[in-house]
């Protein structure tokens, strides 16, 4: 049996926090400053985390290693299981040529890549986040953007930055439901509070996306559709989470925002059409690209367009059906729960740590549902079993280094969590007193940066946020919600998501380059959310906190 210790270094929480942060800081330094390949950086950081757990925290080496194996297993199932099958569905459309049809169809809505980025990376990505969560939106939208002509780096950055505001309500609000469970607060009230924070981010993210695509000029020229998308998404997320249904918040918001942008571009055109390879002035092509000319002269048939959209319609239909209570309960009968062998850990207070409980939700996981959607896609696209299997093999080969990275990062997270390193960091930050309102989102951000999951971050730090709020005389509802809202901004710099994005766009080994492009956005948005939370904790905006 191992009992976690909060302050193993000189009985000082501050010194212990500095040591506990070493594995995580090392990971980001290796990725961002030294440009080490993600899977190598992750394995090095994992080794350091095990050393700290054993030599500093006194965790038995056997339990430290077993904690790593549990994390690696969780990294593969359910996380990689979702990503592998999502990329496989994409490979099926490439195999049949229907992804090119989809590309041309999206381009007919608007040839401007700034507007395409808003629709695909943000609105469609939010729908994927709502239905599947984890790495699915990044995996799917990044390859869709590449198919539209975006350069791989830009496609990866757009997909990661867009995967922010929707994350708190992702996978049918799983992060909120988990937060409610660990804090014993109402999920409806928590969802309402988060729905009064992330919609403000929603207004800003589409503006950031057009800035990434075309710089300040892009913001000046396409601020209107960006704002329309952000405002309608924010309003949809706020209204649904506060007055309708927390799990449906992102579903409604994504559809409303996409519809608003499509309606706008029917009556409004940017002064200049921007594409990756050429700039088209005056709202018309001075020298049309071959793809544009082909689309005008030989439009795709209605049947081909329907088939191109079919895989995504199938994904949505399968996921929605699986969310029906009766179906979900039936599928849940195949779920297996067990304690990970050899792990026996107590918290600093002496209560058993629940992280050793492992769940194999074989049929309710979005990964299996994505696999079913892929099989149905093969039927609709008339793809033979042999070609489908070959496409799966191609997917596994493409993701081979991402698989190693994700499993290593989750192993690192579980070692840090079970040894007590992460709790040391969180407890040290929670000792900030009244200033905790300002730094509360940072705790959630840190949790997601380590684990790659807002759900995991809420499970890890949710109760700690409530305890710190009570000690500092702050709203426990606000602090708990800030953990989830802050967590969404750590998603884009999580090594897990960086690896998924790099693999999806064929940039294995370039995770550090992607990290440097997105980290500034993560920090800027985090600073804004910290300021918002501090204001909501003050008399100035306290009216925004549900009573």
């Amino acid at each position: 049996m191992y009992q976690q210790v909060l302050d193993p270094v000189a009985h000082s929480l501050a010194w212990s926090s500095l040591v506990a942060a070493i594995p995580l800081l090392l990971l980001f330094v290796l990725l961002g400053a030294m440009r080490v390949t993600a899977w190598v950086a992750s394995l090095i950081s994992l080794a350091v985390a095990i050393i700290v757990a054993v030599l500093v925290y006194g965790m038995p080496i056997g339990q430290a290693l077993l904690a790593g194996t549990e994390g690696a297993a969780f990294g593969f199932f359910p996380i990689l299981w979702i990503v592998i099958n999502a990329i496989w569905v994409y490979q099926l459309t490439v195999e049949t040529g229907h992804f090119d049809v989809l590309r041309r169809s999206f381009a007919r809505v608007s040839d401007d890549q700034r507007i395409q980025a808003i629709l695909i990376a943000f609105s469609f990505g939010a729908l994927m986040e709502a239905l599947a969560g984890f790495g699915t939106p990044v995996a799917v939208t990044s390859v869709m953007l590449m198919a539209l002509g975006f350069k791989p780096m830009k496609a990866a950055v757009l997909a990661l930055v867009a995967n922010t505001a929707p994350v708190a309500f992702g996978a049918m609000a799983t992060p909120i439901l988990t937060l409610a469970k660990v804090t014993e607060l109402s999920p409806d009230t928590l969802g309402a509070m988060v729905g009064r924070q992330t919609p403000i981010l929603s207004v800003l993210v589409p503006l950031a996306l057009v800035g990434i695509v075309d710089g300040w000029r892009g913001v000046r020229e396409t601020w209107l559709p960006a704002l329309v998308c952000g405002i309608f998404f924010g309003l949809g997320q706020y209204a649904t989470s506060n007055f309708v249904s927390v799990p449906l918040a992102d579903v409604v918001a994504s559809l409303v925002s996409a519809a608003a942008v499509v309606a706008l571009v029917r009556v409004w055109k940017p002064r200049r059409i921007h594409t990756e390879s050429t700039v088209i002035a005056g709202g018309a092509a001075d020298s049309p690209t071959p793809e544009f000319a082909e689309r005008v002269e030989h439009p795709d048939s209605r049947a081909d367009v329907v088939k191109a959209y079919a895989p995504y319609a199938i994904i949505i239909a399968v996921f929605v059906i699986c969310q029906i209570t009766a179906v979900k309960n039936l599928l849940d009968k195949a779920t297996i729960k067990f304690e990970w062998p050899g792990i026996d850990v107590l918290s600093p207070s002496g209560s058993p740590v629940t992280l050793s409980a492992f769940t194999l939700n074989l049929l309710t996981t979005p990964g299996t549902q994505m696999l079913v959607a892929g099989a149905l896609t093969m039927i609709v696209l008339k793809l033979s079993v042999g070609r489908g299997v070959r496409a799966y093999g191609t997917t596994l080969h493409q993701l081979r280094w991402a698989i190693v990275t994700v499993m290593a990062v989750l192993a690192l997270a579980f070692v840090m969590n079970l040894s007590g390193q992460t709790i040391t960091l969180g407890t040290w930050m929670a000792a900030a007193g009244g200033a905790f309102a300002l730094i509360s989102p940072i705790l959630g951000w840190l949790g997601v940066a380590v684990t790659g999951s807002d759900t995991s971050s809420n499970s890890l730090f949710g109760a700690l946020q409530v305890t710190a709020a009570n000690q500092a005389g702050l709203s426990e509802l606000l602090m708990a919600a800030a953990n989830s809202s802050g967590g969404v901004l750590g998603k884009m710099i999580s090594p897990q998501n960086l690896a998924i994005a790099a693999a999806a766009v064929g940039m294995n080994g370039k995770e550090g380059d992607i990290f440097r492009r997105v980290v500034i956005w993560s920090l800027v948005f985090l600073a804004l959310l910290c300021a918002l939370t501090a204001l909501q904790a003050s008399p100035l905006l306290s009216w925004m906190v549900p009573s």
Side-chain angles (χ1 to χ4, degrees):
M1 183 180 295
Y2 166 68
Q3 184 166 357
Q4 295 171 341
V5 182
L6 289 177
D7 53 357
V9 181
H11 300 293
S12 166
L13 200 56
W15 283 110
S16 299
S17 295
L18 285 175
V19 175
I22 289 174
L24 186 60
L25 291 174
L26 176 63
L27 178 59
F28 288 131
V29 169
L30 290 174
L31 280 175
M34 301 181 69
R35 303 191 179 191
V36 176
T37 303
W39 70 270
V40 175
S42 301
L43 289 174
I44 292 172
S45 301
L46 170 60
V48 172
I50 293 173
I51 291 170
V52 171
V54 174
L55 298 184
V56 178
Y57 279 77
M59 188 178 195
I61 187 169
Q63 292 214 47
L65 294 173
L66 286 169
T69 62
E70 184 187 4
F74 183 78
F76 188 84
F77 190 96
I79 296 172
L80 283 166
W81 183 235
I82 298 169
V83 176
I84 290 169
N85 290 317
I87 296 293
W88 175 56
V89 174
Y90 156 72
Q91 289 286 359
L92 294 178
T93 63
V94 172
E95 183 79 14
T96 59
H98 285 91
F99 206 87
D100 290 333
V101 179
L102 184 71
R103 170 185 177 178
R104 292 189 288 270
S105 177
F106 268 113
R108 274 197 292 273
V109 175
S110 174
D111 286 318
D112 196 303
Q113 288 190 327
R114 298 166 297 190
I115 295 173
Q116 291 170 353
I118 295 170
L119 282 172
I120 296 172
F122 190 70
S123 294
F124 186 74
L127 183 60
M128 288 292 97
E129 180 66 37
L131 297 173
F134 297 96
T136 308
V138 172
V140 172
T141 61
S142 57
V143 293
M144 290 182 74
L145 291 170
M146 279 185 59
L148 284 166
F150 286 79
K151 293 178 180 178
M153 173 64 77
K154 191 164 286 186
V157 171
L158 287 167
L160 287 166
V161 173
N163 191 218
T164 47
V167 169
F169 296 97
M172 305 306 288
T174 297
I176 302 293
L177 299 176
T178 302
L179 184 62
K181 182 178 179 180
V182 299
T183 60
E184 298 183 353
L185 296 173
S186 164
D188 291 335
T189 310
L190 276 170
M193 185 64 244
V194 174
R196 302 178 190 202
Q197 293 177 321
T198 55
I200 296 172
L201 292 174
S202 304
V203 177
L204 303 175
V205 172
L207 289 169
L209 296 181
V210 297
I212 292 169
V213 174
D214 192 29
W216 180 243
R217 177 179 60 182
V219 176
R220 290 199 314 269
E221 294 180 354
T222 52
W223 62 267
L224 180 59
L227 270 183
V228 165
C229 181
I231 289 172
F232 273 85
F233 186 94
L235 289 174
Q237 199 179 55
Y238 162 73
T240 307
S241 62
N242 276 262
F243 307 113
V244 183
S245 167
V246 173
L248 293 178
D250 278 351
V251 175
V252 173
S254 61
L255 295 176
V256 167
S257 63
V261 174
V262 170
L264 175 67
V265 296
R266 289 183 180 275
V267 297
W268 174 92
K269 301 292 181 186
R271 181 178 59 188
R272 178 186 60 92
I273 295 176
H274 174 84
T275 66
E276 194 74 34
S277 56
T278 182
V279 174
I280 305 171
D286 294 334
S287 53
T289 63
E291 289 157 350
F292 183 88
E294 179 187 355
R295 184 173 71 252
V296 173
E297 295 176 12
H298 305 287
D300 295 302
S301 68
R302 184 180 296 274
D304 282 339
V305 173
V306 169
K307 285 184 178 180
Y309 279 94
Y312 301 97
I314 290 170
I315 291 171
I316 293 170
V318 170
F319 282 17
V320 169
I321 290 171
C322 290
Q323 290 298 326
I324 296 172
T325 303
V327 177
K328 193 173 183 178
N329 290 339
L330 180 64
L331 296 176
D332 200 40
K333 291 182 178 180
T335 297
I336 303 170
K337 297 181 180 180
F338 60 93
E339 293 292 321
W340 197 260
I343 294 180
D344 189 5
V345 179
L346 299 178
S347 70
S349 63
S351 57
V353 173
T354 58
L355 281 173
S356 59
F358 197 87
T359 301
L360 279 172
N361 51 332
L362 299 173
L363 298 182
T364 57
T365 176
T368 301
Q369 294 164 15
M370 190 71 74
L371 182 66
V372 171
L376 294 174
T377 296
M378 288 176 57
I379 296 172
V380 172
L381 300 185
K382 298 180 179 178
L383 202 66
S384 69
V385 174
R387 292 177 69 189
V389 171
R390 283 196 296 273
Y392 207 96
T394 300
T395 301
L396 290 174
H397 183 266
Q398 178 184 345
L399 293 175
R400 64 193 185 283
W401 297 120
I403 290 171
V404 176
T405 302
V406 172
M407 293 178 72
V409 167
L410 266 296
L412 163 69
F414 270 65
V415 170
M416 290 186 66
N417 294 347
L418 283 166
S419 66
Q421 295 173 59
T422 312
I423 298 297
T424 294
L425 288 168
T427 305
W428 175 63
M429 293 176 64
F436 184 66
L438 183 64
I439 65 173
S440 173
I442 299 176
L443 201 53
W445 175 85
L446 176 67
V448 175
V450 174
T451 65
S453 165
D454 200 37
T455 299
S456 298
S457 177
N458 287 345
S459 177
L460 189 62
F461 289 137
L464 187 65
Q465 292 271 12
V466 170
T467 300
N470 289 328
Q471 291 174 353
L474 299 167
S475 166
E476 57 183 30
L477 175 64
L478 174 60
M479 296 302 100
N483 193 84
S484 194
S485 298
V488 307
L489 303 173
K491 190 85 169 178
M492 68 179 86
I493 63 166
S494 163
Q496 168 191 311
N497 253 23
L498 290 170
I500 291 169
V505 301
M507 293 185 65
N508 288 304
K510 301 292 185 181
E511 294 86 358
D513 294 336
I514 300 173
F515 172 80
R516 285 190 295 277
R517 293 283 297 273
V518 300
V519 66
I520 186 64
W521 293 107
S522 179
L523 294 175
V524 167
F525 285 139
L526 178 62
L528 291 173
L529 187 63
C530 286
L532 173 63
T533 304
L535 290 172
Q536 289 177 329
S538 73
L540 190 63
L541 293 183
S542 59
W543 53 269
M544 294 183 70
V545 180
S547 55

